Amino acid sequence: MMPDCPVCQHRATTELLVLQNVPVHSVRLATSAEAANAIPTGEIQLLACEHCNMAWNGAFDPKLVHYDGNYEETQAYSPRFQVFQQQFAAQLVKTFQLEGKTVLEIGCGKGEFLEALLDAGAAQVIGFDPSFDPTRARSDARMTVYAELYPPSRNVELTLPGIDFYVCKMTLEHVFQPRAFLTQLRTAIGNHDCLVAIQVPALERILSTTAYWDIYYEHCNYFSADALAKLFAVCGFAVIESETIFDDQYLNVVARPVDVEQDKSPCTPLPFAAFKHKLHTELAAWRERLQPAGTRQTLLIWGAASKAVALLSALPELKTGTTLVDINPHKHGTYLPATELVIHDPQQLRDRRFEVILVANPIYLDEVTTMLRKLGIQGEIIALN
Ligand SMILES: [Zn+2]
């Protein structure tokens, strides 16, 4: 029997994909090839619910996944991402009049967005994230970060009624049982006047681009706009804004707490069947495209994170002939999970020539092309869709 949907609790209607032996972490730092190869693996059974347009890993085991200081998720070394982050903070502050207000971020990573919110005019920011590293954040009396999960397990002194805005970016897709999580937040808010913004990878884009490499173990949930609206509704929130940003890669929804469950209009059908049908041909096309360069040891992948791990897990023949590079200095000299591939500093590859240079996220194509030119690194540049 298929498991129930974590959002609407109907029985799953479709099994989209099954993957065995998937590394459970894709951005944890491994200091040796042995450690990278010894990373635990799990199973992905990607299921879909056509009642609310949700997809999730029905085989997810939350005990396998751990978040701590070795979890290197930041994209903030990219100038393109920094600009996006600053603009998004400024947009939130302007749209929701957060000047002089207090914002709490659930899953604040290394704290860069909290800093951007302060720069945009927020008076006070509070963050929660077990991967937070105080040595990498600004020292600012207006910013308090707890290096732990939210809600806190111990009794953190928190005057919840003082919080005007909750933001939770690129985190809810990691949360096992998102309905319990959001219900708990709703209970904590009570009848206090505030707003909640949630940002997740957009399922619509994963389906439309057949983005196989956007399905990985840490993400147990894949929300569409319909599914996230439904989740908000069943947990006591009314959606006031829903949009996609960052080239439609991210879905951003803002809601306010309400007393009664909101009616949710019927879902527009999503192309689940087409995605399932296209997955294998898409993967075969990438194998054909990348394997010759991989065999000749002339394949460079720019971006040593989740997409690279997912791609190399799907095409394991590339695990030996690929060179990896990443802009994040904390990754240099470490190994990509589930491979024996070391992650290079772009400077180390100066004046090298590759047959194919694969940019893991197309949004960074311009930025990476500029850096490649500056470093004299040559080759045909292509991007994962
Ligand atoms: Zn559902």
Side-chain angles (χ1 to χ4, degrees), residues 304-339:
S306 309
K307 289 175 202 287
V309 171
L311 183 72
L312 293 174
S313 297
L315 303 175
E317 60 271 37
L318 298 178
K319 283 187 185 182
T320 47
T322 300
T323 304
L324 281 177
V325 65
D326 199 284
I327 196 174
N328 179 344
H330 298 279
K331 289 187 174 181
H332 299 158
T334 71
Y335 291 77
L336 191 74
T339 73

mmCIF file of all heavy atoms in Angstrom, residues 304-339:
data_model
loop_
_atom_site.group_PDB
_atom_site.id
_atom_site.type_symbol
_atom_site.label_atom_id
_atom_site.label_comp_id
_atom_site.label_asym_id
_atom_site.label_seq_id
_atom_site.Cartn_x
_atom_site.Cartn_y
_atom_site.Cartn_z
ATOM 1 N N ALA A 304 30.187 21.893 -6.744
ATOM 2 C CA ALA A 304 30.318 20.587 -6.089
ATOM 3 C C ALA A 304 29.326 20.517 -4.933
ATOM 4 O O ALA A 304 29.694 20.647 -3.768
ATOM 5 C CB ALA A 304 31.751 20.380 -5.605
ATOM 6 N N ALA A 305 28.069 20.336 -5.273
ATOM 7 C CA ALA A 305 27.026 20.282 -4.246
ATOM 8 C C ALA A 305 25.995 19.227 -4.628
ATOM 9 O O ALA A 305 26.313 18.272 -5.335
ATOM 10 C CB ALA A 305 26.404 21.671 -4.075
ATOM 11 N N SER A 306 24.761 19.429 -4.182
ATOM 12 C CA SER A 306 23.735 18.393 -4.306
ATOM 13 C C SER A 306 23.498 17.930 -5.738
ATOM 14 O O SER A 306 23.321 16.743 -5.998
ATOM 15 C CB SER A 306 22.427 18.917 -3.729
ATOM 16 O OG SER A 306 22.661 19.431 -2.458
ATOM 17 N N LYS A 307 23.475 18.880 -6.690
ATOM 18 C CA LYS A 307 23.191 18.487 -8.081
ATOM 19 C C LYS A 307 24.304 17.577 -8.615
ATOM 20 O O LYS A 307 24.026 16.610 -9.331
ATOM 21 C CB LYS A 307 23.063 19.724 -8.977
ATOM 22 C CG LYS A 307 21.804 20.548 -8.734
ATOM 23 C CD LYS A 307 21.841 21.800 -9.587
ATOM 24 C CE LYS A 307 20.969 22.913 -9.073
ATOM 25 N NZ LYS A 307 19.533 22.720 -9.258
ATOM 26 N N ALA A 308 25.563 17.905 -8.275
ATOM 27 C CA ALA A 308 26.692 17.080 -8.730
ATOM 28 C C ALA A 308 26.614 15.690 -8.108
ATOM 29 O O ALA A 308 26.852 14.680 -8.791
ATOM 30 C CB ALA A 308 28.022 17.759 -8.366
ATOM 31 N N VAL A 309 26.263 15.632 -6.825
ATOM 32 C CA VAL A 309 26.162 14.323 -6.160
ATOM 33 C C VAL A 309 25.063 13.487 -6.816
ATOM 34 O O VAL A 309 25.253 12.302 -7.113
ATOM 35 C CB VAL A 309 25.884 14.495 -4.641
ATOM 36 C CG1 VAL A 309 25.563 13.149 -3.993
ATOM 37 C CG2 VAL A 309 27.078 15.134 -3.955
ATOM 38 N N ALA A 310 23.921 14.123 -7.090
ATOM 39 C CA ALA A 310 22.803 13.389 -7.690
ATOM 40 C C ALA A 310 23.162 12.917 -9.094
ATOM 41 O O ALA A 310 22.870 11.778 -9.483
ATOM 42 C CB ALA A 310 21.557 14.269 -7.721
ATOM 43 N N LEU A 311 23.827 13.771 -9.878
ATOM 44 C CA LEU A 311 24.204 13.412 -11.245
ATOM 45 C C LEU A 311 25.199 12.250 -11.245
ATOM 46 O O LEU A 311 25.056 11.288 -12.003
ATOM 47 C CB LEU A 311 24.807 14.627 -11.963
ATOM 48 C CG LEU A 311 25.177 14.385 -13.421
ATOM 49 C CD1 LEU A 311 23.919 14.278 -14.277
ATOM 50 C CD2 LEU A 311 26.075 15.493 -13.958
ATOM 51 N N LEU A 312 26.221 12.337 -10.368
ATOM 52 C CA LEU A 312 27.246 11.288 -10.351
ATOM 53 C C LEU A 312 26.706 9.990 -9.752
ATOM 54 O O LEU A 312 27.197 8.911 -10.079
ATOM 55 C CB LEU A 312 28.484 11.771 -9.588
ATOM 56 C CG LEU A 312 29.247 12.920 -10.270
ATOM 57 C CD1 LEU A 312 30.371 13.436 -9.385
ATOM 58 C CD2 LEU A 312 29.809 12.491 -11.618
ATOM 59 N N SER A 313 25.690 10.093 -8.897
ATOM 60 C CA SER A 313 25.063 8.860 -8.393
ATOM 61 C C SER A 313 24.268 8.188 -9.504
ATOM 62 O O SER A 313 24.212 6.961 -9.593
ATOM 63 C CB SER A 313 24.121 9.160 -7.224
ATOM 64 O OG SER A 313 24.849 9.683 -6.155
ATOM 65 N N ALA A 314 23.667 9.013 -10.366
ATOM 66 C CA ALA A 314 22.874 8.461 -11.466
ATOM 67 C C ALA A 314 23.775 7.946 -12.588
ATOM 68 O O ALA A 314 23.424 6.999 -13.287
ATOM 69 C CB ALA A 314 21.930 9.529 -12.012
ATOM 70 N N LEU A 315 24.926 8.594 -12.777
ATOM 71 C CA LEU A 315 25.867 8.208 -13.838
ATOM 72 C C LEU A 315 27.217 7.852 -13.196
ATOM 73 O O LEU A 315 28.207 8.583 -13.357
ATOM 74 C CB LEU A 315 26.040 9.361 -14.842
ATOM 75 C CG LEU A 315 24.766 9.888 -15.515
ATOM 76 C CD1 LEU A 315 25.070 11.099 -16.392
ATOM 77 C CD2 LEU A 315 24.102 8.790 -16.355
ATOM 78 N N PRO A 316 27.281 6.728 -12.474
ATOM 79 C CA PRO A 316 28.489 6.422 -11.688
ATOM 80 C C PRO A 316 29.750 6.251 -12.540
ATOM 81 O O PRO A 316 30.859 6.380 -12.024
ATOM 82 C CB PRO A 316 28.124 5.129 -10.947
ATOM 83 C CG PRO A 316 26.925 4.582 -11.625
ATOM 84 C CD PRO A 316 26.229 5.725 -12.285
ATOM 85 N N GLU A 317 29.578 6.003 -13.845
ATOM 86 C CA GLU A 317 30.764 5.865 -14.701
ATOM 87 C C GLU A 317 31.558 7.170 -14.775
ATOM 88 O O GLU A 317 32.718 7.177 -15.163
ATOM 89 C CB GLU A 317 30.368 5.387 -16.104
ATOM 90 C CG GLU A 317 29.415 6.298 -16.867
ATOM 91 C CD GLU A 317 27.935 5.997 -16.602
ATOM 92 O OE1 GLU A 317 27.588 5.661 -15.438
ATOM 93 O OE2 GLU A 317 27.124 6.100 -17.538
ATOM 94 N N LEU A 318 30.935 8.282 -14.379
ATOM 95 C CA LEU A 318 31.640 9.571 -14.405
ATOM 96 C C LEU A 318 32.432 9.822 -13.124
ATOM 97 O O LEU A 318 33.139 10.826 -13.006
ATOM 98 C CB LEU A 318 30.636 10.711 -14.599
ATOM 99 C CG LEU A 318 29.828 10.714 -15.898
ATOM 100 C CD1 LEU A 318 28.846 11.879 -15.905
ATOM 101 C CD2 LEU A 318 30.742 10.795 -17.112
ATOM 102 N N LYS A 319 32.310 8.923 -12.148
ATOM 103 C CA LYS A 319 32.933 9.180 -10.853
ATOM 104 C C LYS A 319 34.454 9.126 -10.897
ATOM 105 O O LYS A 319 35.118 9.576 -9.971
ATOM 106 C CB LYS A 319 32.430 8.180 -9.805
ATOM 107 C CG LYS A 319 31.053 8.498 -9.284
ATOM 108 C CD LYS A 319 30.718 7.571 -8.134
ATOM 109 C CE LYS A 319 29.287 7.790 -7.658
ATOM 110 N NZ LYS A 319 28.981 6.922 -6.503
ATOM 111 N N THR A 320 35.026 8.542 -11.966
ATOM 112 C CA THR A 320 36.482 8.474 -12.010
ATOM 113 C C THR A 320 37.094 9.552 -12.899
ATOM 114 O O THR A 320 38.143 10.065 -12.601
ATOM 115 C CB THR A 320 36.955 7.083 -12.484
ATOM 116 O OG1 THR A 320 36.189 6.731 -13.636
ATOM 117 C CG2 THR A 320 36.784 6.047 -11.402
ATOM 118 N N GLY A 321 36.449 9.922 -13.988
ATOM 119 C CA GLY A 321 37.101 10.817 -14.939
ATOM 120 C C GLY A 321 36.730 12.285 -14.819
ATOM 121 O O GLY A 321 37.031 13.069 -15.709
ATOM 122 N N THR A 322 36.086 12.661 -13.712
ATOM 123 C CA THR A 322 35.578 14.026 -13.608
ATOM 124 C C THR A 322 36.459 14.882 -12.710
ATOM 125 O O THR A 322 36.962 14.410 -11.697
ATOM 126 C CB THR A 322 34.136 13.990 -13.050
ATOM 127 O OG1 THR A 322 33.326 13.238 -13.949
ATOM 128 C CG2 THR A 322 33.551 15.375 -12.892
ATOM 129 N N THR A 323 36.655 16.141 -13.093
ATOM 130 C CA THR A 323 37.307 17.118 -12.227
ATOM 131 C C THR A 323 36.215 17.999 -11.647
ATOM 132 O O THR A 323 35.288 18.390 -12.359
ATOM 133 C CB THR A 323 38.298 17.978 -13.044
ATOM 134 O OG1 THR A 323 39.219 17.105 -13.695
ATOM 135 C CG2 THR A 323 39.067 18.943 -12.157
ATOM 136 N N LEU A 324 36.322 18.304 -10.345
ATOM 137 C CA LEU A 324 35.286 19.093 -9.667
ATOM 138 C C LEU A 324 35.856 20.411 -9.196
ATOM 139 O O LEU A 324 36.977 20.460 -8.688
ATOM 140 C CB LEU A 324 34.821 18.361 -8.415
ATOM 141 C CG LEU A 324 33.848 17.212 -8.540
ATOM 142 C CD1 LEU A 324 33.628 16.642 -7.156
ATOM 143 C CD2 LEU A 324 32.536 17.700 -9.121
ATOM 144 N N VAL A 325 35.060 21.446 -9.322
ATOM 145 C CA VAL A 325 35.517 22.748 -8.843
ATOM 146 C C VAL A 325 34.339 23.459 -8.178
ATOM 147 O O VAL A 325 33.177 23.270 -8.556
ATOM 148 C CB VAL A 325 36.130 23.557 -10.018
ATOM 149 C CG1 VAL A 325 35.099 23.890 -11.078
ATOM 150 C CG2 VAL A 325 36.802 24.824 -9.538
ATOM 151 N N ASP A 326 34.651 24.253 -7.148
ATOM 152 C CA ASP A 326 33.600 25.008 -6.455
ATOM 153 C C ASP A 326 34.204 26.316 -5.964
ATOM 154 O O ASP A 326 35.386 26.393 -5.628
ATOM 155 C CB ASP A 326 33.046 24.202 -5.280
ATOM 156 C CG ASP A 326 31.683 24.714 -4.830
ATOM 157 O OD1 ASP A 326 31.624 25.766 -4.160
ATOM 158 O OD2 ASP A 326 30.674 24.079 -5.179
ATOM 159 N N ILE A 327 33.355 27.335 -5.907
ATOM 160 C CA ILE A 327 33.819 28.668 -5.521
ATOM 161 C C ILE A 327 33.934 28.817 -4.000
ATOM 162 O O ILE A 327 34.633 29.698 -3.508
ATOM 163 C CB ILE A 327 32.851 29.705 -6.146
ATOM 164 C CG1 ILE A 327 33.448 31.096 -6.127
ATOM 165 C CG2 ILE A 327 31.500 29.679 -5.489
ATOM 166 C CD1 ILE A 327 32.593 32.114 -6.856
ATOM 167 N N ASN A 328 33.261 27.944 -3.241
ATOM 168 C CA ASN A 328 33.238 28.052 -1.770
ATOM 169 C C ASN A 328 34.572 27.575 -1.178
ATOM 170 O O ASN A 328 34.905 26.398 -1.254
ATOM 171 C CB ASN A 328 32.076 27.203 -1.234
ATOM 172 C CG ASN A 328 31.982 27.232 0.281
ATOM 173 O OD1 ASN A 328 32.918 27.635 0.976
ATOM 174 N ND2 ASN A 328 30.844 26.813 0.796
ATOM 175 N N PRO A 329 35.377 28.487 -0.582
ATOM 176 C CA PRO A 329 36.709 28.107 -0.095
ATOM 177 C C PRO A 329 36.680 27.028 0.994
ATOM 178 O O PRO A 329 37.659 26.300 1.169
ATOM 179 C CB PRO A 329 37.283 29.413 0.471
ATOM 180 C CG PRO A 329 36.121 30.315 0.678
ATOM 181 C CD PRO A 329 35.075 29.913 -0.314
ATOM 182 N N HIS A 330 35.553 26.913 1.711
ATOM 183 C CA HIS A 330 35.473 25.895 2.770
ATOM 184 C C HIS A 330 35.424 24.484 2.192
ATOM 185 O O HIS A 330 35.616 23.502 2.903
ATOM 186 C CB HIS A 330 34.252 26.138 3.663
ATOM 187 C CG HIS A 330 34.332 27.454 4.367
ATOM 188 N ND1 HIS A 330 35.073 27.641 5.507
ATOM 189 C CD2 HIS A 330 33.807 28.661 4.057
ATOM 190 C CE1 HIS A 330 34.975 28.904 5.885
ATOM 191 N NE2 HIS A 330 34.221 29.541 5.021
ATOM 192 N N LYS A 331 35.139 24.376 0.907
ATOM 193 C CA LYS A 331 35.057 23.051 0.285
ATOM 194 C C LYS A 331 36.382 22.609 -0.340
ATOM 195 O O LYS A 331 36.558 21.430 -0.633
ATOM 196 C CB LYS A 331 33.994 23.065 -0.823
ATOM 197 C CG LYS A 331 32.590 23.143 -0.286
ATOM 198 C CD LYS A 331 31.598 22.983 -1.418
ATOM 199 C CE LYS A 331 30.197 22.911 -0.852
ATOM 200 N NZ LYS A 331 29.203 22.739 -1.897
ATOM 201 N N HIS A 332 37.286 23.561 -0.579
ATOM 202 C CA HIS A 332 38.505 23.217 -1.316
ATOM 203 C C HIS A 332 39.335 22.179 -0.561
ATOM 204 O O HIS A 332 39.591 22.319 0.627
ATOM 205 C CB HIS A 332 39.339 24.478 -1.595
ATOM 206 C CG HIS A 332 38.595 25.469 -2.434
ATOM 207 N ND1 HIS A 332 38.902 26.807 -2.456
ATOM 208 C CD2 HIS A 332 37.531 25.305 -3.274
ATOM 209 C CE1 HIS A 332 38.061 27.426 -3.282
ATOM 210 N NE2 HIS A 332 37.217 26.530 -3.777
ATOM 211 N N GLY A 333 39.740 21.138 -1.271
ATOM 212 C CA GLY A 333 40.535 20.078 -0.652
ATOM 213 C C GLY A 333 39.685 19.025 0.047
ATOM 214 O O GLY A 333 40.217 18.030 0.528
ATOM 215 N N THR A 334 38.370 19.233 0.112
ATOM 216 C CA THR A 334 37.500 18.181 0.662
ATOM 217 C C THR A 334 36.981 17.327 -0.502
ATOM 218 O O THR A 334 37.236 17.636 -1.673
ATOM 219 C CB THR A 334 36.319 18.758 1.473
ATOM 220 O OG1 THR A 334 35.393 19.387 0.588
ATOM 221 C CG2 THR A 334 36.801 19.766 2.515
ATOM 222 N N TYR A 335 36.262 16.284 -0.174
ATOM 223 C CA TYR A 335 35.838 15.311 -1.194
ATOM 224 C C TYR A 335 34.318 15.316 -1.336
ATOM 225 O O TYR A 335 33.599 15.472 -0.349
ATOM 226 C CB TYR A 335 36.337 13.914 -0.807
ATOM 227 C CG TYR A 335 37.837 13.813 -0.913
ATOM 228 C CD1 TYR A 335 38.648 14.378 0.073
ATOM 229 C CD2 TYR A 335 38.442 13.199 -2.003
ATOM 230 C CE1 TYR A 335 40.039 14.319 -0.024
ATOM 231 C CE2 TYR A 335 39.820 13.133 -2.109
ATOM 232 C CZ TYR A 335 40.613 13.701 -1.124
ATOM 233 O OH TYR A 335 41.984 13.658 -1.240
ATOM 234 N N LEU A 336 33.860 15.134 -2.562
ATOM 235 C CA LEU A 336 32.419 15.099 -2.808
ATOM 236 C C LEU A 336 31.840 13.797 -2.256
ATOM 237 O O LEU A 336 32.358 12.719 -2.559
ATOM 238 C CB LEU A 336 32.135 15.192 -4.311
ATOM 239 C CG LEU A 336 30.659 15.427 -4.671
ATOM 240 C CD1 LEU A 336 30.265 16.868 -4.376
ATOM 241 C CD2 LEU A 336 30.387 15.102 -6.130
ATOM 242 N N PRO A 337 30.763 13.891 -1.448
ATOM 243 C CA PRO A 337 30.162 12.680 -0.883
ATOM 244 C C PRO A 337 29.888 11.612 -1.938
ATOM 245 O O PRO A 337 29.505 11.914 -3.070
ATOM 246 C CB PRO A 337 28.854 13.195 -0.272
ATOM 247 C CG PRO A 337 29.158 14.602 0.114
ATOM 248 C CD PRO A 337 30.080 15.108 -0.957
ATOM 249 N N ALA A 338 30.157 10.358 -1.533
ATOM 250 C CA ALA A 338 29.902 9.167 -2.348
ATOM 251 C C ALA A 338 30.790 9.086 -3.591
ATOM 252 O O ALA A 338 30.474 8.375 -4.550
ATOM 253 C CB ALA A 338 28.429 9.059 -2.739
ATOM 254 N N THR A 339 31.908 9.830 -3.594
ATOM 255 C CA THR A 339 32.883 9.736 -4.687
ATOM 256 C C THR A 339 34.291 9.779 -4.073
ATOM 257 O O THR A 339 34.438 9.955 -2.866
ATOM 258 C CB THR A 339 32.788 10.935 -5.659
ATOM 259 O OG1 THR A 339 33.326 12.106 -5.024
ATOM 260 C CG2 THR A 339 31.360 11.210 -6.090
#
